Amino acid sequence: ELNQIIREDDTIHTIDWKRRENCPNHITIPNHFPFFKEFLWHTYCIKKIHDCDLDILHNPSQIPIFLRPNAKYIVTIHDLTPIIQGRYHTIPLRIFSLLTMKKTLEYAKGIIADSITTKEDIIRIYDIPSDRIEVIYLAADESFRPLSASEIDNFKEGYGLLNPFIL
């Protein structure tokens, strides 16, 4: 079963291949305070979907959470610069990260780091066991590569782009 949470502006949508009775098909954040939208939406959503019986909940944006998710929780950590190099971040983000990142990492069944340095920072700062952290580099899929001249000609012909054009 595949379950996902997707954030689009003010609304969180669940995509659920096997519909579950108690799970809302969308969650609207109830106010317009930027801090709430930026930092607390994960916690709000976890509270709202607690009874949804999700298999996995993935947080790709590393914003820390307050509540332990009911599902297996996976978090992607891009860096720990709000903690390591706080001078480059806003005071609210620094405080929020300092207060919540440790619990976020403890709640996670799995942690994805997008570099070895980030993995090492997580281990050094939070004493998280190495085997709970998987490094997955950010990169384009192999299908995103320069095309050969014949592939370009076939594409142009298939879309009727035989004359010069501007994109």
Side-chain angles (χ1 to χ4, degrees):
E1 294 179 45
L2 176 62
N3 297 287
Q4 286 182 300
I5 305 296
I6 298 175
R7 178 180 181 202
E8 294 177 4
D9 297 324
D10 299 346
T11 304
I12 308 305
H13 299 277
T14 62
I15 299 174
D16 193 349
W17 281 197
K18 185 176 179 186
R19 186 79 181 124
R20 301 197 177 157
E21 288 182 26
N22 296 329
C23 198
N25 60 7
H26 73 279
I27 299 169
T28 302
I29 295 177
N31 69 46
H32 297 284
F33 296 110
F35 182 81
F36 185 79
K37 283 185 182 178
E38 186 66 28
F39 299 110
L40 303 179
W41 74 272
H42 286 88
T43 300
Y44 181 78
C45 289
I46 287 168
K47 184 175 185 297
K48 293 294 265 185
I49 63 173
H50 200 273
D51 296 327
C52 290
D53 191 31
L54 296 175
D55 300 315
I56 296 173
L57 178 61
H58 178 222
N59 172 358
S61 63
Q62 94 173 32
I63 294 176
I65 59 169
F66 294 110
L67 302 174
R68 181 183 299 274
N70 204 18
K72 290 178 184 168
Y73 180 64
I74 309 295
V75 63
T76 297
I77 304 296
H78 301 284
D79 60 55
L80 294 178
T81 58
I83 292 145
I84 297 170
Q85 297 177 331
R87 67 185 177 274
Y88 298 111
H89 296 277
T90 64
I91 291 173
L93 177 60
R94 289 171 26 206
I95 292 169
F96 191 74
S97 296
L98 286 168
L99 294 175
T100 59
M101 185 59 76
K102 182 175 172 128
K103 277 291 180 207
T104 299
L105 295 170
E106 289 173 358
Y107 291 160
K109 297 287 185 205
I111 300 166
I112 298 170
D114 56 26
S115 72
I116 291 173
T117 301
T118 298
K119 179 178 180 173
E120 291 169 349
D121 289 343
I122 294 167
I123 294 167
R124 179 176 50 82
I125 295 169
Y126 295 106
D127 200 29
I128 301 292
S130 175
D131 63 347
R132 286 191 44 218
I133 307 167
E134 184 72 30
V135 175
I136 300 175
Y137 299 105
L138 298 177
D141 186 77
E142 291 176 7
S143 64
F144 295 98
R145 57 175 173 66
L147 299 177
S148 68
S150 65
E151 288 173 310
I152 292 171
D153 290 341
N154 289 340
F155 178 85
K156 288 168 67 176
E157 188 175 319
Y159 285 95
L161 303 172
L162 302 178
N163 296 319
F165 63 93
I166 299 173
L167 290 179

